[in-house]
Amino acid sequence: MSIVIASFDESDQAAIDAAYAVSGAAKAVDLPDFPHAREAFEATLRHPMPGRSQHLALATLDGTPAGYLELRMSVLENLDNAGVELLVHPARRRRGVGRALHEYAVQVLRGQGRKRLIGPTVGPLPDGPDRPDNGSGFAAAMGAKPALPEVRRRLEIPTLDHPALDALLADARGRAAGYRTVGWQGATPAEYLDDIAYLDSRLLEDAPIGDLTMEPDKVDAERVRGVDRVLAVRGRRAYHQGVLHVASGRLVAWTMIDVHRATSWHAFQQITIVDPAHRGRRLGLLCKIENLRYVLAHEPQLRVIDTFNAASNSYMIAVNEQMGFRPVDAWMEWQLDF
């Protein structure tokens, strides 16, 4: 039995095809309800986010593609860290492929001066669908520590309770005197760039990160523009809703949902954040419901929206569950210091 690992880049179509085949087979078993369009997979590899570098590798077992590794590194902050996605084809698991890829990843990162590896695994919830839980066993065997429990929740659009949403929205508007919502699709309007940069920079200060060793991103207006450009070239249609504080003219809350053009039945609810000075006024709920309605008006094929929350993020979980999001599966962010 021979395991060979070779790096590749975004110009190597044959390696990308093999990586997509491995990734698709793994996710069909581990996450069968997740979208996995080839266009989205390739676009993510070809167009990294601003301030990020990547290292890609393919493992073969006796000449057959068996494993795929993606390492993601910030070059602006968190310079000791790397994010990881490590997938092994279900038909070739338990043959040392995952361990070989892990050892390769650590070697690569040590060579770059990195000291820490962070990556997720998925498992079942007590009342949720079946999920293989082999990822957590593998992470523990490699010496990683569980650092941040999370839960994925899903909103089923056909079962939305619109009268309940109307009532929640009316209550939120009643508590938000002096504020108004503004929505946009795609590129952030110039007048909001600095406010979005400030809010995005606050995310890791405000959201629970458990035992993860991470510093907040240092986001500026140019980086916001760069993220907008990358989302567009990746084929993701991004819908934003902000809350404007009328007296100051500042955007003090923001949320975003994105839909890939290849899988218009599915969306991700991304960031939702409220400036601490303006909390307690239902602004998070206000912008999330307004943005949901905004998306539905433009995406008639949309059927489900997925979102992830730290298990300890009780405020955002309460907001999401009021809107109709329900738990699907359990996730864990693991950290390995080496």
Side-chain angles (χ1 to χ4, degrees):
M1 185 172 65
S2 173
I3 299 171
V4 176
I5 299 174
S7 64
F8 67 94
D9 63 24
E10 63 276 8
S11 67
D12 189 337
Q13 187 62 52
I16 290 176
D17 290 343
Y20 175 74
V22 170
S23 178
K27 290 184 178 179
V29 171
D30 300 336
L31 286 167
D33 65 337
F34 241 45
H36 191 60
R38 174 185 287 273
E39 180 184 353
F41 179 84
E42 291 196 19
T44 299
L45 300 189
R46 295 188 194 282
H47 305 287
M49 282 294 174
R52 299 289 193 270
S53 66
Q54 64 184 8
H55 184 99
L56 309 173
L58 186 70
T60 58
L61 178 65
D62 295 333
T64 301
Y68 164 64
L69 175 73
E70 180 181 348
L71 298 172
R72 299 175 293 274
M73 290 79 70
S74 173
V75 298
L76 301 174
E77 56 271 313
N78 289 298
L79 299 181
D80 289 339
N81 295 0
V84 62
E85 182 169 26
L86 191 163
L87 300 171
V88 178
H89 194 292
R92 297 169 185 91
R93 290 177 177 171
R94 302 189 181 280
R95 301 187 191 181
V97 175
R99 181 177 290 273
L101 281 170
H102 168 77
E103 292 172 353
Y104 171 89
V106 170
Q107 181 181 27
V108 167
L109 295 174
R110 280 180 172 152
Q112 296 185 5
R114 304 276 167 166
K115 301 175 182 177
R116 190 172 298 115
L117 195 58
I118 297 171
T121 62
V122 62
L125 288 170
D127 298 321
D130 289 339
R131 292 285 183 267
D133 200 17
N134 48 331
S136 59
F138 174 78
M142 297 302 101
K145 304 297 183 185
L148 179 65
E150 298 179 302
V151 175
R152 173 170 64 116
R153 286 174 171 81
R154 171 165 284 192
L155 183 66
E156 302 277 355
I157 302 303
T159 64
L160 268 176
D161 187 340
H162 287 284
L165 286 178
D166 291 339
L168 289 169
L169 189 56
D171 178 66
R173 285 173 175 161
R175 295 168 182 262
Y179 299 85
R180 65 180 179 87
T181 55
V182 291
W184 67 93
Q185 181 182 352
T188 302
E191 62 267 32
Y192 303 139
L193 282 169
D194 288 338
D195 293 336
I196 292 297
Y198 165 75
L199 289 169
D200 203 1
S201 295
R202 285 206 61 91
L203 181 61
L204 288 185
E205 294 182 33
D206 297 344
I209 62 169
D211 295 325
L212 292 173
T213 304
M214 299 181 72
E215 61 181 288
D217 289 344
K218 303 175 183 71
V219 182
D220 58 15
E222 185 54 38
R223 195 157 165 183
V224 174
R225 290 191 185 98
V227 169
D228 288 342
R229 286 192 293 266
V230 170
L231 287 174
V233 77
R234 284 182 176 184
R236 305 208 73 89
R237 297 191 287 266
Y239 297 87
H240 304 259
Q241 199 78 202
V243 178
L244 196 70
H245 182 232
V246 176
S248 67
R250 299 292 303 274
L251 205 71
V252 298
W254 167 51
T255 192
M256 190 261 276
I257 292 173
D258 70 303
V259 181
H260 194 276
R261 64 191 177 203
T263 50
S264 55
W265 58 272
H266 180 274
F268 285 108
Q269 166 66 64
Q270 304 283 9
I271 188 172
T272 301
I273 190 164
V274 179
D275 188 323
H278 297 268
R279 290 178 183 163
R281 298 173 175 87
R282 299 287 199 276
L283 300 185
L285 181 64
L286 174 63
C287 65
K288 285 176 73 87
I289 296 177
E290 292 275 23
N291 205 39
L292 174 61
R293 295 275 172 82
Y294 184 44
V295 170
L296 294 179
H298 291 83
E299 299 286 345
Q301 297 180 335
L302 186 60
R303 292 294 176 267
V304 298
I305 303 176
D306 282 324
T307 194
F308 294 80
N309 298 112
S312 61
N313 193 349
S314 57
Y315 170 75
M316 197 54 64
I317 289 170
V319 168
N320 288 334
E321 294 201 336
Q322 281 181 292
M323 292 177 64
F325 284 88
R326 297 293 177 258
V328 178
D329 38 34
W331 291 67
M332 179 64 72
E333 291 288 344
W334 294 79
Q335 179 170 301
L336 174 69
D337 295 276
F338 49 83

